[in-house]
Amino acid sequence: MSVAEPRRIVLFRHAKADWPQVSDHERPLADRGRTDAAVAGRKLADTGIPVDLALCSTATRTRETWKLAVHELPHRPKTVYEERLYEASPGEIIAVLNETPDDVQNVVLIGHNPGVQGLADILAGSAEGDTRTRMAARDFPTAAFAVLSFDGPWKSLEPGVATLIDYWAPTE
């Protein structure tokens, strides 16, 4: 693959979590979250984006979200569970993405708010159609995802370089 081909990042917020008496990191998905995660996986498959790599927070709810969503994809990408994505700021997430090997074209990142929403906002220097309006109107609810495209190597990913090309939320 050439770095001249557009790269895509799918920023995927974990599905709805439950609130049992466990640490925040260990919170599992709620029943609605399990349903929404599978639906989000089908919607991600519908985008036609061949995901090469999944970067997933180590939190229980993100791991469960990805486990349910990935079963809906036509092929299972390599998955890396990354501790740095738990409670990460947009800048910390960019630092993780900057480490992506250049032979990877499309990444899905399963993480948390406010980092995921903040990253979608700051990466998107432009947007196709009404995607920015739809994302702003809905915020970034659980199980939502945004798809961004940019040109160049992963180490060049920085605020404003991407185009928001798609957005989906469970209530869309």
Side-chain angles (χ1 to χ4, degrees):
M1 102 128 270
S2 162
V3 293
E5 297 176 46
R7 297 183 189 281
R8 286 167 291 192
I9 306 164
V10 179
L11 297 174
F12 185 0
R13 184 177 178 198
H14 66 79
K16 181 76 173 162
D18 205 352
W19 290 92
Q21 295 297 316
V22 297
S23 72
D24 182 69
H25 191 271
E26 302 307 315
R27 287 176 47 219
L29 291 181
D31 289 341
R32 187 183 101 204
R34 286 189 283 280
T35 300
D36 287 351
V39 172
R42 286 191 291 280
K43 292 298 184 180
L44 181 56
D46 289 348
T47 68
I49 296 170
V51 177
D52 304 310
L53 176 65
L55 298 172
C56 185
S57 163
T58 56
T60 300
R61 60 193 177 272
T62 52
R63 289 184 288 118
E64 289 180 352
T65 297
W66 182 236
K67 181 179 178 183
L68 293 164
V70 74
H71 285 293
E72 303 297 330
L73 300 181
H75 78 277
R76 185 181 204 103
K78 176 183 177 184
T79 300
V80 174
Y81 295 96
E82 176 57 65
E83 290 181 17
R84 295 177 292 169
L85 295 177
Y86 178 67
E87 296 186 335
S89 69
E92 291 166 329
I93 299 171
I94 288 173
V96 171
L97 288 166
N98 286 157
E99 297 171 7
T100 303
D102 280 331
D103 63 342
V104 172
Q105 183 176 1
N106 302 310
V107 171
V108 60
L109 185 140
I110 307 92
H112 310 266
N113 258 6
V116 169
Q117 180 177 1
L119 183 59
D121 288 339
I122 68 167
L123 286 179
S126 62
E128 291 183 357
D130 68 346
T131 53
R132 190 183 307 269
T133 302
R134 288 188 301 115
M135 189 171 77
R138 293 280 307 126
D139 273 340
F140 217 101
T142 54
F145 64 81
V147 181
L148 297 111
S149 176
F150 78 102
D151 296 318
W154 288 102
K155 65 184 176 192
S156 72
L157 183 65
E158 61 183 36
V161 302
T163 300
L164 179 65
I165 59 173
D166 200 1
Y167 170 78
W168 179 84
T171 56
E172 286 252 309

